[in-house]
Amino acid sequence: MGTSSSFQDRFEELFTAHFHRLWRFMDRLTGEPDLAADLVQDAFLKLLERGSLPDAPESWLITVTLNLFRNQRTTRARRGRLLTLARAAEIQGDPAPAPDQVAMAGDSRRGVRTALERLPERERALLLLRAEGYSYRDLAAALDLNEASIGVLLARAKRAFRAHYEDKEGAGDAPR
Amino acid sequence: MHLDERQVQRVLHGELAGAEDEAARAHLATCASCKEQVAAAEREENEIHALLGTLDHEPPRIHARAFTTAHAAHVAHAARSSRAAWRRRAAGLLVALGAAGTAYALPGSPLPAWVDAVVERLGSLADSSARRPATSAPAATEPAPGPRQATTEGRSGIAVDPGSSLLILFARAQGEGHVEIVLSDGSAVEVLAPPAAASFTSDVNLLRIDNAGTAARFRIEVPRAAPRVEIRVAGKRIFLKEGPRITAEPAATRGSYVLPLAP
């Protein structure tokens, strides 16, 4: 398969502009930076192997990355074990903690993570993708939403996130 | 008429256009209440983004050109060969390194890590026995020490098909340092080196290691199934595997051969 220079140039522009945005989105979504890197690389590989650009490459990349993530969930149990072990190693490898700072930072992160996970998946993705600056058009295409409703859905997602974050003591399982 | 929630969000995100945008701007110029709503929405969003930022990790260093170069090498090799998929990964790495050779050898260059990561990713996609990519977390379930662990410790490396015969040639002797050789159950010869300690080039049946420093330590994994693997340092043979028979000085201790790279 040959790749034309124009396609390659455009691909590299897309990669440069979007790799880290997508990676940060997936990192925040999954809490697993390595998994995020794998998924985003796989999405870009699929684009390369496609050999031509879709009509809306930004939303195409988001959609493919999210689909890869959903597929990846079938191995969630295994990843859960690896993550647990990695976290254990991380904790064991840490220098002596400054208790106050560690506790505060940990509480904040945990609160953010919990608040995110309590959002329905679509609102979570919407919030995180908008934080990366994706346009309403891209958000609508990637998440199969009506573009006209994006503003209202975003406002709702932000309200829900704030409410969950400020209610750290609240109970309830996170919707997946 | 005041702005509704949808319009407030669209104003905040610059998503209004045309007549609606003009009308909203005109209204905001005269309505303190709506102006404050937009300001409050902006404050709220900034706070949320700051909170989301607490989740962030160090981003991976992967560059577009390396990605496409490695992929092109992968594809070119795949078109010429019917060898197993994992061999395509190796060829991809070799060509990628050829294209990026100078930068690869520069101290502190990010190239080794991302070329390795990209190519290993390509290989793992094509290989049903996919291994964890170099960008992945330490594989805590795997026995240690192994190349995966070494990679996560900041080493760089290369994987090549041993074919029927492979000569691994260290370009120069070193005053210090050594090469540790272990036999593996894998399919590829894997060479691991500290960052910037070496660059690699390859031809048929030859892997040349241009070792740059004077004290670097290398690790080479040689598949037990490889028919013939020979390692030379500046022309002098230090290791030979022919089928099950291995010639090395000194002999193996605790399952590995630790051989000096001295002249």
Side-chain angles (χ1 to χ4, degrees):
Chain A
M1 179 184 74
T3 52
S4 70
S5 60
S6 60
F7 169 69
Q8 179 162 325
D9 290 347
R10 183 72 181 113
F11 175 88
E12 290 182 5
E13 287 172 16
L14 279 166
F15 191 98
T16 302
H18 294 282
F19 181 85
H20 282 103
R21 295 168 83 186
L22 272 175
W23 172 82
R24 191 163 44 230
F25 160 61
M26 291 306 296
D27 180 34
R28 290 174 174 179
L29 187 69
T30 65
E32 298 179 51
D34 299 319
L35 173 63
D38 288 356
L39 295 172
V40 178
Q41 284 186 74
D42 287 355
F44 274 100
L45 278 174
K46 284 184 180 294
L47 180 57
L48 258 186
E49 286 163 359
R50 192 177 189 274
S52 63
L53 294 179
D55 290 341
E58 291 85 356
S59 57
W60 186 93
L61 282 165
I62 296 168
T63 302
V64 169
T65 306
L66 284 171
N67 286 341
L68 289 167
F69 173 53
R70 292 183 189 111
N71 294 341
Q72 181 72 15
R73 282 180 177 169
T74 59
T75 57
R76 175 159 289 278
R78 178 177 170 275
R79 287 194 292 106
R81 282 200 300 277
L82 286 173
L83 184 64
T84 303
L85 290 165
R87 279 185 180 156
E90 189 179 31
I91 291 165
Q92 287 163 1
D94 279 348
D100 291 350
Q101 289 181 348
V102 169
M104 285 174 63
D107 281 351
S108 175
R109 271 197 303 274
R110 207 162 23 249
V112 174
R113 170 64 52 204
T114 302
L116 264 184
E117 289 179 352
R118 286 182 180 174
L119 294 178
E121 180 178 309
R122 193 180 64 180
E123 290 187 7
R124 196 184 324 160
L126 194 60
L127 190 64
L128 293 175
L129 284 167
R130 181 55 223 174
E132 295 306 318
Y134 283 100
S135 70
Y136 282 22
R137 178 178 296 181
D138 288 337
L139 297 176
L143 301 176
D144 197 21
L145 296 168
N146 182 345
E147 187 181 340
S149 67
I150 294 289
V152 172
L153 291 173
L154 266 175
R156 190 182 300 164
K158 285 187 280 193
R159 266 200 309 274
F161 173 82
R162 285 297 298 257
H164 291 315
Y165 180 72
E166 289 164 3
D167 179 31
K168 295 176 192 174
E169 301 303 316
D173 291 333
R176 302 297 302 178
Chain B
M1 190 170 174
H2 293 300
L3 300 184
D4 60 21
E5 188 171 57
R6 180 189 71 86
Q7 289 171 315
V8 168
Q9 293 297 318
R10 284 187 169 263
V11 167
L12 177 62
H13 297 138
E15 290 276 355
L16 280 180
E20 192 179 15
D21 184 40
E22 288 174 18
R25 287 178 186 278
H27 179 74
L28 284 169
T30 59
C31 179
S33 170
C34 285
K35 199 171 177 181
E36 173 52 28
Q37 274 200 56
V38 173
E42 185 171 17
R43 283 194 300 274
E44 179 190 46
E45 183 156 285
N46 288 339
E47 287 169 13
I48 289 173
H49 289 179
L51 287 170
L52 295 175
T54 65
L55 299 175
D56 291 347
H57 298 91
E58 184 72 18
R61 293 184 301 175
I62 301 177
H63 297 256
R65 181 55 54 87
F67 201 86
T68 54
T69 300
H71 180 262
H74 166 74
V75 171
H77 184 78
R80 288 196 308 269
S81 171
S82 60
R83 289 179 168 185
W86 65 266
R87 294 178 181 175
R88 297 201 290 271
R89 176 194 64 187
L93 178 55
L94 295 178
V95 179
L97 291 176
T102 303
Y104 188 87
L106 291 174
S109 166
L111 269 164
W114 50 253
V115 169
D116 292 352
V118 166
V119 175
E120 186 140 8
R121 195 76 206 116
L122 290 167
S124 69
L125 279 181
D127 188 349
S128 60
S129 61
R131 304 177 317 172
R132 295 287 293 168
T135 52
S136 295
T141 54
E142 294 178 4
R148 189 64 42 242
Q149 186 179 42
T151 300
T152 60
E153 287 170 353
R155 290 190 166 207
S156 57
I158 187 170
V160 296
D161 174 10
S164 58
S165 177
L166 178 68
L167 172 61
I168 301 172
L169 185 61
F170 283 88
R172 56 189 65 83
Q174 295 182 181
E176 298 176 39
H178 62 252
V179 55
E180 179 186 15
I181 302 162
V182 296
L183 297 181
S184 74
D185 293 323
S187 308
V189 170
E190 298 194 1
V191 180
L192 289 162
S199 60
F200 305 98
T201 53
S202 178
D203 202 338
V204 176
N205 299 335
L206 172 67
L207 171 61
R208 179 185 168 90
I209 303 172
D210 283 304
N211 42 332
T214 58
R217 289 185 290 181
F218 295 82
R219 177 182 168 95
I220 300 178
E221 295 205 352
V222 176
R224 287 188 176 83
R228 188 179 193 281
V229 176
E230 180 180 354
I231 301 175
R232 294 184 192 170
V233 177
K236 174 185 166 188
R237 178 192 292 167
I238 63 168
F239 177 92
L240 175 63
K241 176 184 184 302
E242 289 182 299
R245 192 177 65 183
I246 291 175
T247 307
E249 186 66 38
T253 56
R254 289 187 296 183
S256 69
Y257 299 84
V258 180
L259 309 178
L261 295 170

